[in-house]
């Protein structure tokens, strides 16, 4: 299974999500490929924000080798599931991907924990360190739900992902916002 985590700059939320889910997948012996990207190009090639790195490290996860990259339309053909950290990120993904946008592959990460609530992971960029701890906790719990949901499927059988339907509550939100 190939999963992409997406936020705006790919230096705060999505690197944490990539690192956390990689760690959990490895612990569960799941052969998943997990990466992250951002919808803007402001930080291409940069490591994650120092507070994201610190919070990850405090939780036993090293994300210092990650480098920011920009989300592209081709990501829809390269990944089975794409998790956005917030609704504005989905809007940007639509703008970037245009006719390649595949709503069946996209969901808000927090919908795995709270289906249909369409909750955002807040962007901690401008805030103090406690915001990064809050974001870590939210992403950590959502990643547990991802592993529970998709960890039972094998690489050859992606189960719910192979249907291309995604979360019906998010899909109506995605369609209605077009």
């Amino acid at each position: 299974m190939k999963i992409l985590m997406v936020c705006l700059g790919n230096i705060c939320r999505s690197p944490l999500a990539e690192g956390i889910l990689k760690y959990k997948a490895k612990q569960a012996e799941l052969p998943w490929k997990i990466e992250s990207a951002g919808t803007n190009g402001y930080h291409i090639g940069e490591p994650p924000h120092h507070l994201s790195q610190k919070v990850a490290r405090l939780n036993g996860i090293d994300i210092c080798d990650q480098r920011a990259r920009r989300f592209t339309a081709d990501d829809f053909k390269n990944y089975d599931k794409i998790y956005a950290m917030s609704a504005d990120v989905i809007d940007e993904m639509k703008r970037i991907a245009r006719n390649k946008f595949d709503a069946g592959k996209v969901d808000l990460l927090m919908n795995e924990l709270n289906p249909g609530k369409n909750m955002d992971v807040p962007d901690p960029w401008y805030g103090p360190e406690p915001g990064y701890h809050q974001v870590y906790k939210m992403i950590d719990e959502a990643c547990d739900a991802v592993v529970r949901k998709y960890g039972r499927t094998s690489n050859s059988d992606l189960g719910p992902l192979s249907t291309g339907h995604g979360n019906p509550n998010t899909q109506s939100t995605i369609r209605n916002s077009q």
Side-chain angles (χ1 to χ4, degrees):
M1 183 167 175
K2 294 182 264 184
I3 299 172
L4 184 65
M5 302 294 199
V6 185
C7 69
L8 293 175
N10 193 211
I11 60 168
C12 294
R13 296 171 289 177
S14 59
L16 279 173
E18 175 186 343
I20 292 167
L21 189 55
K22 274 184 178 177
Y23 177 81
K24 290 178 182 298
K26 184 177 180 182
Q27 294 299 109
E29 299 179 352
L30 299 169
W32 293 356
K33 174 184 174 184
I34 300 138
E35 295 182 341
S36 61
T39 55
N40 69 41
Y42 301 137
H43 302 286
I44 293 173
E46 293 180 22
H49 189 280
H50 68 96
L51 289 175
S52 287
Q53 289 187 52
K54 178 181 179 181
V55 170
R57 199 170 38 254
L58 288 171
N59 287 280
I61 298 172
D62 183 2
I63 62 170
C64 70
D65 289 335
Q66 292 183 28
R67 293 296 176 265
R69 77 160 180 90
R70 188 153 192 226
F71 176 83
T72 68
D74 284 342
D75 287 328
F76 281 102
K77 71 178 179 186
N78 296 327
Y79 294 91
D80 302 308
K81 188 72 180 174
I82 301 175
Y83 287 110
M85 299 299 116
S86 56
D88 60 328
V89 171
I90 293 175
D91 292 339
E92 284 299 302
M93 289 167 55
K94 286 183 206 173
R95 185 186 62 74
I96 292 165
R98 299 177 161 256
N99 63 340
K100 292 183 180 179
F101 184 84
D102 183 349
K105 289 187 174 188
V106 177
D107 203 351
L108 291 170
L109 178 63
M110 293 309 296
N111 276 343
E112 292 298 350
L113 190 60
N114 302 294
K117 299 275 186 190
N118 296 329
M119 296 170 51
D120 291 347
V121 175
D123 191 345
W125 172 256
Y126 295 105
E129 184 176 328
Y132 287 81
H133 291 278
Q134 174 194 3
V135 163
Y136 182 95
K137 183 178 185 305
M138 292 175 74
I139 293 171
D140 185 59
E141 291 173 359
C143 287
D144 281 339
V146 170
V147 170
R148 280 192 305 271
K149 181 176 182 177
Y150 296 113
R152 295 178 295 242
T153 61
S154 70
N155 251 1
S156 61
D157 174 25
L158 294 177
L161 288 183
S162 63
T163 65
H165 295 296
N167 181 317
N169 295 318
T170 302
Q171 300 317 312
S172 62
T173 301
I174 291 169
R175 281 190 292 278
N176 293 337
S177 65
Q178 292 179 352

